[in-house]
Every structure is written in structure tokens, then in C-alpha cells.
Amino acid sequence: MKDVKGKTAFITGGASGIGLGMARAFGLAGMKVMLADLDQAKLNTAVEGLKSQQIDARAVVCDVTSRGEVQRAALQTIDAFGKVHVVCNNAGVGAGGTLGEVEPRNWDWVIDVNLKGVYYGVETFAPLIKSHGEGGHIVNTASMLGLVTFGGVEPYTATKYAVVGMSEGWRQQLEPFNIGMSVLCPSWVRTGIAESGRNRTTAYGGAIEPQAHPIGDMVKAAIAGGFDPDVVGERVLEAIRANELYIIVGSDIRAMVEARFKAILEGCEASERSPALMRAKKQVAP
């Protein structure tokens, strides 16, 4: 999707962080943007800031854990702009901890926002993009932790691995309709993800303040030294125009990705040498 000028983008988690960075990059390229977020006050501030840069921006309050709210936000976007061409399923939250000590409600919260929020967005907007026949692009925000991981962040990384896999499959399904699909896998970015518990809704037990934890402290320090969200937004725009599947932000994960796939290939080689599998193959041979 090389020509984005005049097109419309819908962005969840759009009031701050990566979502706002994408909105700014898209708007400065001539796109109209609809920001969706839980926080009305932050939405108002974000829209005012974008408008000060002569960007046509509007906002809608939306809880992505509800399919109905995502559908309502889609209809409001159509009412406002007529069509949607780019959809960024970007809303995300983080939770983790020691094995056996993660609250069940936090598992539910992270899965509902990071995983269900993505497929609600794709299932809602893909038909709308198909319907106008002009093509488009969908970006699903995963993370570097959708490609590699470390201990203590299992709820988060489980959802991000899933987003990578879903995006790979949907890309194949949407390609015949001239709809691109990308999965955003950034390294550390200066966002508020470490404090996302403050936005946990009452359905999951209400807001929580960050707790002191070695993993949490390490993540906060890494985030503080991460990329500016506006840079990530510019990188996403580049990838949409080039129809890239994996939007990698930061070369620091290359060695970890190579190590992971080396281990996977070693597993394949072990399978090929396995006496048990060779015996089974002989038993079923004609």
C-alpha cells in the first residue's frame, strides 16, 4: 500500500505510546486517523496534539476486550470518515511473575486485551476493507517477546507469540483481496506498558500499581532506554508501504532470534536421527 495520502487509519491503544506514534506518522503522511483507547482524557490530549500539527484526527473510547465495543468503534469510524484502509490492533498490557504466583485474573486480562483484542479487530475490520475494494493494510502489534522470550513474562509472551502466528496465517488469507498484513515486533520502546495495571478494568479486579520485582525493574530500565514511539511509528509506515510481514524495530534481538532458530533446527535434526521415529517409519512403509 504505497499511496497512503487521504486514506483512513484506525488505531487501538492510540492515545499514547506506539499507537500515538503511528497516528502521528500516518497523519503527517496525509492520512486521517481515528484513535481508540480506554482513557478519554488521554484521547482528548492526543487529538488536540495531532490537530495542532494539521492532522485530521478523531477519537473513540473503546475497550478491545469487548467484540461489541470494537464493532461500535468501527461503525463510528465509518460514520466519521466513510472508509477504513489501515487498521492497527495495537492495544496491549503487560503482566508476569514467578511461576504459580501470577493472578488468574491477570492471565485473563492479558489474554483478553493482547490476544482477543487483536482478532476482534481483524475479524471486524477485514470485511470492511474488503467491501470498498481499494485494498488496505492491517498491523498487529506483537513484540520482540513474540519471537524470543525470557522467564517471568509468560502471560505476555504467550499472547505475543500467538499474535505472530495469527498474523502469518491471516496474511495468506487476505493477500488475494489486496490487503496486506504485518506483525510489529519492536524491541524496547519508551511506553507506559510497565504501568499498564493502572488501566486494568473492574472486570479483572480493578487498577493495580506496579509491584517491586526483579523482572519488572529490569523491564522498566530497558524501556527507559528504548526507542521513541514516534520513530516506531515512522518504521511502521515504511513497512506498510513495503508490505513487510515482520516489522522489526531494533537489531539487538537478532542474536536471540538466531539462537532460538538454531535450537529449533537442532530439534529437527534430532528428529531425523531418532531411532524411535526411524523404526516407526519402517513399520508403516509399504
Side-chain angles (χ1 to χ4, degrees):
M1 187 178 172
K2 298 184 184 300
D3 183 13
V4 300
K5 189 173 182 179
K7 302 297 196 297
T8 298
F10 174 88
I11 306 166
T12 65
S16 62
I18 292 174
L20 184 54
M22 290 191 287
R24 199 180 329 276
F26 297 167
L28 293 175
M31 296 185 73
K32 297 167 282 188
V33 294
M34 176 68 86
L35 307 183
D37 205 284
L38 274 176
D39 192 320
Q40 181 71 72
K42 284 187 177 180
L43 280 172
N44 294 342
T45 300
V47 168
E48 288 174 10
L50 294 173
K51 286 184 175 180
S52 73
Q53 295 179 282
Q54 288 72 55
I55 294 171
D56 189 354
R58 306 188 196 183
V60 57
V61 173
C62 177
D63 181 350
V64 300
T65 67
S66 165
R67 186 189 292 269
E69 287 210 20
V70 175
Q71 292 171 336
R72 176 183 56 78
L75 291 176
Q76 287 187 233
T77 307
I78 298 298
D79 287 344
F81 295 121
K83 300 173 185 176
V84 178
H85 302 85
V86 172
V87 175
C88 298
N89 296 301
N90 170 74
V93 297
T98 304
L99 176 63
E101 295 182 4
V102 180
E103 285 187 61
R105 290 182 296 188
N106 274 347
W107 274 101
D108 293 340
W109 176 52
V110 174
I111 288 170
D112 287 355
V113 175
N114 295 0
L115 177 55
K116 291 183 179 179
V118 169
Y119 72 71
Y120 290 162
V122 173
E123 291 181 349
T124 297
F125 281 94
L128 296 174
I129 300 174
K130 286 181 187 179
S131 68
H132 60 60
E134 298 175 7
H137 204 97
I138 298 174
V139 178
N140 298 322
T141 298
S143 168
M144 67 174 182
L145 294 180
L147 300 172
V148 296
T149 193
F150 51 82
V153 292
E154 287 76 18
Y156 184 80
T157 198
T159 61
K160 298 306 185 178
Y161 267 66
V163 169
V164 170
M166 293 190 302
S167 300
E168 290 169 341
W170 285 327
R171 182 178 171 96
Q172 298 174 35
Q173 294 192 55
L174 293 173
E175 187 175 15
F177 301 97
N178 193 29
I179 301 172
M181 171 72 71
S182 298
V183 58
L184 173 58
C185 299
S187 181
W188 305 109
V189 183
R190 295 197 298 272
T191 71
I193 187 73
E195 288 80 38
S196 56
R198 293 175 180 171
N199 294 320
R200 195 176 72 166
T201 61
T202 55
Y204 305 97
I208 50 173
E209 293 296 322
Q211 301 296 311
H213 190 280
I215 290 293
D217 292 343
M218 182 274 289
V219 168
K220 288 178 188 176
I223 287 172
F227 286 94
D228 186 314
D230 283 355
V231 173
V232 180
E234 293 169 10
R235 175 72 185 97
V236 170
L237 181 58
E238 290 174 350
I240 290 173
R241 285 173 162 156
N243 194 26
E244 298 174 23
L245 171 55
Y246 306 102
I247 309 177
I248 307 297
V249 179
S251 60
D252 55 329
I253 68 170
R254 185 184 186 104
M256 293 186 288
V257 170
E258 289 175 343
R260 176 173 180 250
F261 278 91
K262 180 176 181 290
I264 292 172
L265 291 173
E266 288 173 352
C268 293
E269 292 166 1
S271 174
E272 293 166 0
R273 298 191 304 269
S274 164
L277 294 180
M278 286 190 281
R279 285 195 302 271
K281 186 175 181 180
K282 288 179 181 178
Q283 292 170 359
V284 298

